[in-house]
């Protein structure tokens, strides 16, 4: 079965990371911004990274082209059209509102544009704004206060950006407010950070999921804790290769995570930058890492298990996965 035919939830995708070079060119034209090149292929070729920060620098610069409600709408509409072709039934989409409001973009333009595109898509979508670590914990708390009047637009909060030097515990006050407001909580930890950072996030943030989490594997006690609490990890294989969190796809620790009994889902992170959407990540796991169709099916089921969607919707999507997995393979030569 092709990976795109497997119904799946995508739980770790940054909407700003779905900004394809073609849309960069269009937005630059729209706003009269000069680019070093207007050739999308050249822009794409320049998306090469040595670590998380080298990626973030490019990602934030390109995201400065997002200025109006229309821009945010067009970005989300393009992602969702591609996600639909990838078999995504449910998308929990991160955004970085602080990066936009600090440039003077009204929060309404961000939320209204993204939500309008989401409402027009057959994919079930919820938004998860993230606190930017590089702006610090006070800014996070202040940002959350400005987001809360727009509570109908989002279901949870996350934590992203520069991990090294910005440990999670400082964000506990913002996460406490989020919890009191009935928001879901997840955080990027253990991508470049350590197993101790993962433990600290579990101790202090009240998170329901862990984004990336790769370095938990360096400490058996942290792994056991994640396993025993059933805390899901949103893993992003192609991202991990592009940002050199792993040396090569062949060495990706996802099989080790499964063997350790961790709850894992497969996600694209920033697909316009890392060479593939979520179906491409599933395909890479099958073709390069050697996962079987049964393992990919289990990962698709796990993606719905870890979703913040309503239980009845999750049940229906899981039934769809089981039906897709048991359907006879279509013959490529059949008409
Ligand atoms: N890590 C941290 N911050 C991010 C990422 C990531 O993988 N993608 C977008 N912002
Ligand atoms: Zn991410």
């Amino acid at each position: 079965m092709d990976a795109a035919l497997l119904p799946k939830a995508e739980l770790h995708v940054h909407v700003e990371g779905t900004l394809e070079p073609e849309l960069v060119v269009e937005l630059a034209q729209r706003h009269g911004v000069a680019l070093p090149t207007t050739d999308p292929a050249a822009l794409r070729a320049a998306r090469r990274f040595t670590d998380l920060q080298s990626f973030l620098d490019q990602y934030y610069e390109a995201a400065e082209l997002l200025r109006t409600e229309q821009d945010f709408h067009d970005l989300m509409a393009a992602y969702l059209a591609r996600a639909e072709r990838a078999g995504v039934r449910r998308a929990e989409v991160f955004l970085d509102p602080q990066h936009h409001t600090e440039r003077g973009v009204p929060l309404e333009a961000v939320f209204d544009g993204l939500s309008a595109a989401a409402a027009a898509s057959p994919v079930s979508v919820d938004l998860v704004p993230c606190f930017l670590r590089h702006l610090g914990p006070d800014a996070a708390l202040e940002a959350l206060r400005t987001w809360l009047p727009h509570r109908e637009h989002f279901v949870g909060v996350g934590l992203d950006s520069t991990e090294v030097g910005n440990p999670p515990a400082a964000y506990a006050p913002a996460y406490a407010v989020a919890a009191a407001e009935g928001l879901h909580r997840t955080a990027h930890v253990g991508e470049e950070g350590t197993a101790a950072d993962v433990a600290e996030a579990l101790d202090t943030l009240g998170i329901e999921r862990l984004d990336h989490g790769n370095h938990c594997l360096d400490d058996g006690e942290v792994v056991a804790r994640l396993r025993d609490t059933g805390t899901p990890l949103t893993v992003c294989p192609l991202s991990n290769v592009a940002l050199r969190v792993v040396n090569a796809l062949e060495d990706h620790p996802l099989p080790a995570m499964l063997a350790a009994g961790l709850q894992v889902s497969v996600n694209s992170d920033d697909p316009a930058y890392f060479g593939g959407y979520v179906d491409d990540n599933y395909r890479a796991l099958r073709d390069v890492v050697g996962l079987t169709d049964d393992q990919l099916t289990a990962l698709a089921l796990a993606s719905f298990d870890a979703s913040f969607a309503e239980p009845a919707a999750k049940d229906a999507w899981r039934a769809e996965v089981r039906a897709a997995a048991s359907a006879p393979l279509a013959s490529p030569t059949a008409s």
Side-chain angles (χ1 to χ4, degrees):
M1 178 182 26
D2 184 72
L5 295 179
L6 206 50
K8 55 184 75 66
E10 174 146 64
L11 307 177
H12 185 161
V13 58
H14 302 260
V15 75
E16 296 88 349
T18 72
L19 179 48
E20 291 285 353
E22 288 77 6
L23 186 54
V24 165
V25 172
E26 196 180 321
L27 293 174
Q29 255 164 12
R30 191 178 289 180
H31 299 306
V33 173
L35 294 174
T37 169
T38 54
D39 174 12
L43 291 170
R44 188 166 281 113
R47 292 182 167 184
R48 298 258 175 269
F49 316 106
T50 51
D51 57 10
L52 175 59
Q53 192 59 51
S54 66
F55 155 70
L56 291 172
D57 292 344
Q58 280 203 35
Y59 160 95
Y60 290 125
E61 186 183 346
E64 291 186 13
L65 291 166
L66 297 162
R67 299 178 181 185
T68 65
E69 181 177 334
Q70 186 72 48
D71 299 344
F72 285 94
H73 170 277
D74 294 353
L75 178 70
M76 181 65 112
Y79 163 65
L80 289 172
R82 179 64 183 80
E84 199 186 339
R85 293 201 300 279
V88 172
R89 300 292 192 273
R90 165 78 179 164
E92 296 174 14
V93 180
F94 291 136
L95 59 147
D96 289 334
Q98 289 166 281
H99 184 58
H100 309 305
T101 52
E102 70 169 1
R103 298 180 291 117
V105 178
L107 205 45
E108 290 76 10
V110 179
F111 279 129
D112 290 349
L114 296 177
S115 289
S121 169
V123 178
S124 163
V125 183
D126 273 312
L127 299 179
V128 180
C130 291
F131 304 120
L132 293 180
R133 278 186 163 98
H134 66 269
L135 297 181
D138 294 342
L141 205 46
E142 177 54 29
L144 179 55
R145 295 214 166 93
T146 67
W147 302 344
L148 286 173
H150 305 273
R151 178 76 178 75
E152 74 276 13
H153 287 285
F154 60 103
V155 300
V157 296
L159 178 67
D160 67 4
S161 188
T162 314
E163 186 177 0
V164 172
N166 296 296
Y171 296 85
Y175 274 76
V177 173
E181 293 289 339
L183 289 160
H184 289 291
R185 283 123 17 238
T186 183
H188 284 56
V189 203
E191 180 184 21
E192 287 192 340
T194 63
D197 292 325
V198 172
E200 183 180 305
L202 294 172
D203 287 339
T204 60
L205 300 185
I207 46 176
E208 300 155 85
R209 288 200 306 240
L210 201 61
D211 299 309
H212 295 296
N214 298 49
H215 283 104
C216 73
L217 293 171
D218 299 338
D219 184 332
E221 279 183 28
V222 177
V223 170
R225 192 168 166 193
L226 291 168
R227 183 195 60 221
D228 294 346
T229 54
T231 305
L233 275 62
T234 64
V235 176
C236 307
L238 292 176
S239 163
N240 291 160
V241 175
L243 301 189
R244 306 195 187 171
V245 172
V246 305
N247 290 327
L249 201 52
E250 292 86 327
D251 303 330
H252 197 278
L254 189 137
M257 291 169 169
L258 294 177
L262 296 176
Q263 305 295 316
V264 172
S265 64
V266 175
N267 305 272
S268 70
D269 205 6
D270 300 283
Y273 290 85
F274 300 150
Y277 283 78
V278 65
D279 52 333
D280 300 312
N281 277 271
Y282 277 71
R283 251 178 238 117
L285 288 171
R286 186 191 56 204
D287 297 344
V288 182
V289 183
L291 263 57
T292 64
D293 280 357
D294 283 350
Q295 285 175 306
L296 294 187
T297 300
L299 287 165
L301 289 168
S303 73
F304 292 113
D305 294 343
S307 159
F308 296 147
E310 294 302 318
K314 289 163 58 157
D315 284 345
W317 289 316
R318 283 183 289 235
E320 235 196 294
V321 177
R322 289 189 196 95
S326 62
L329 287 182
S331 158
T333 54
S335 59

